[in-house]
Amino acid sequence: MVTLASGRTFGAVSRFARDLGIDLPVITHQGALVKDTVTGQVLYEDLFPLDVMRDVVRFCRAHDLHLNIYFGDDTFMEKGGPEFELYSALSRRTQSLTPDLMAVLDRSPTKFIVVSATPERTEITMPLLKAAFGDRVSILRSHPILIEGVMPTVSKGRALSILADHLGVSQAETAAIGDNENDMDMLKWAGLGLAMGNAALEVQAVADCVLPPIWEEGAAYGIEHYILNGSARPLAAMESRPTHQQQCDG
C-alpha cells in the first residue's frame, strides 16, 4: 500500500495521487489533514484555535513578514511583492490577495506559511517565530524560503501512525521516504525511515538508511531495493540507526 505525505494542500496532493493510481487516503498540510482521495472522508484533522492565528497575524504585520493562511485548499494573503511572486511560482497556483487577514478568520485555519524573499531571511525569521510562539505553534522549514506553522500536535509521523492504524498496518510494516526537516518525525516513526541523499545531515541522521540523491533517482532506488525485493528489516530488528554516511544493506 502506497500513499503520499506532503505539506501541500489536499487538492494539490490528490491530483498527484490520481496520476499515480493511488486510492488510499493522503497525508497533507504537514499531517494536519488526512483525507480519502476517493470518498473525500476526513480521517484526521487538527486545526488552529482562532486566538493563536490572530496572534500570528499581528506578529507578522509587526515584523513585515509575508503570511499565507490556509483553510483546507483555500489560501489567503494580504501582501504582494517578491514573496508573493516567488510563492506563486513554487506552488504553481494563481494567488489572490485579501485586504485584511483578520477578516477571514471566522473559522479555524489548517496551517500558515511565512514566505521569505531569500534563504538568509528564512534563517533570521525562524528563531523569531519560535521565540514568539514557543509551544503554542510547531514551526518548521519545508523549503529554503518557506516556514510553516501547524499545531504542536501535528506532524507527518503522527498522521502516518493514524493512517497505519486505520489500514490495520503495524508500525514495523511501514516505510517512509523524505528529504526535508518536515519529514524527520515521519522517518523516525516509520518502521523503516529512508532519507534522500540530498537531504540535510540532520534529516539523514534520524533515518535508518540513506538513499542516493534525487538526481540519481534515490526514491525509486529505495522502493525497489529496500521494499519490493523484501530486503528491508523492521525497526525492531535493527541494533542501531546508522549515521548519514552509512547504508543498511543486508
Side-chain angles (χ1 to χ4, degrees):
M1 291 184 283
V2 178
T3 193
L4 304 175
S6 174
R8 295 185 180 225
T9 65
F10 174 78
V13 176
S14 59
R15 288 196 294 272
F16 288 107
R18 284 193 297 270
D19 290 345
L20 294 167
I22 293 172
D23 59 4
L24 293 180
V26 290
I27 296 168
T28 65
H29 289 291
Q30 307 299 355
L33 176 66
V34 182
K35 190 173 179 179
D36 194 290
T37 57
V38 177
T39 66
Q41 177 191 3
V42 174
L43 274 66
Y44 172 74
E45 190 173 33
D46 196 345
L47 305 177
F48 268 110
L50 287 176
D51 62 326
V52 175
M53 188 54 64
R54 288 182 181 123
D55 286 345
V56 171
V57 173
R58 295 185 187 101
F59 179 87
C60 289
R61 285 175 174 173
H63 290 79
D64 194 28
L65 300 175
H66 182 98
L67 174 66
N68 298 353
I69 298 180
Y70 293 76
F71 300 87
D73 288 338
D74 298 325
T75 312
F76 294 88
M77 60 195 78
E78 62 184 15
K79 288 182 63 176
E83 295 88 353
F84 178 90
E85 300 300 331
L86 285 167
Y87 182 76
S88 297
L90 279 173
S91 65
R92 300 180 185 179
R93 296 171 58 196
T94 301
Q95 309 297 331
S96 57
L97 298 175
T98 184
D100 183 6
L101 282 176
M102 287 293 190
V104 304
L105 288 174
D106 57 355
R107 53 196 167 115
S108 293
T110 314
K111 71 169 185 180
F112 70 83
I113 289 182
V114 173
V115 185
S116 300
T118 64
E120 291 76 19
R121 177 67 169 170
T122 302
E123 292 292 340
I124 295 170
T125 305
M126 281 278 290
L128 294 177
L129 285 166
K130 289 183 176 181
F133 295 99
D135 59 5
R136 300 171 70 201
V137 178
S138 177
I139 302 294
L140 50 96
R141 178 168 35 199
S142 59
H143 185 275
I145 64 167
L146 302 181
I147 301 171
E148 305 208 17
V150 290
M151 287 294 292
T153 47
V154 166
S155 73
K156 289 183 181 179
R158 183 176 184 188
L160 179 59
S161 71
I162 290 168
L163 180 56
D165 184 64
H166 172 77
L167 297 172
V169 176
S170 70
Q171 181 178 7
E173 295 175 304
T174 62
I177 299 176
D179 66 353
N180 218 321
E181 293 175 25
N182 57 330
D183 297 316
M184 290 175 66
D185 191 68
M186 179 176 67
L187 297 183
K188 288 189 286 186
W189 186 88
L192 185 70
L194 306 172
M196 296 292 291
N198 53 287
L201 294 185
E202 60 265 30
V203 179
Q204 295 184 27
V206 303
D208 297 303
C209 312
V210 178
L211 305 174
I214 190 169
W215 50 88
E216 295 179 14
E217 300 184 345
Y221 175 87
I223 293 170
E224 292 170 357
H225 189 74
Y226 292 117
I227 299 171
L228 294 182
N229 72 2
S231 68
R233 294 175 293 164
L235 178 61
M238 295 184 180
E239 294 181 1
S240 62
R241 290 177 178 259
T243 67
H244 65 270
Q245 293 93 350
Q246 296 174 303
Q247 300 287 332
C248 64
D249 292 337

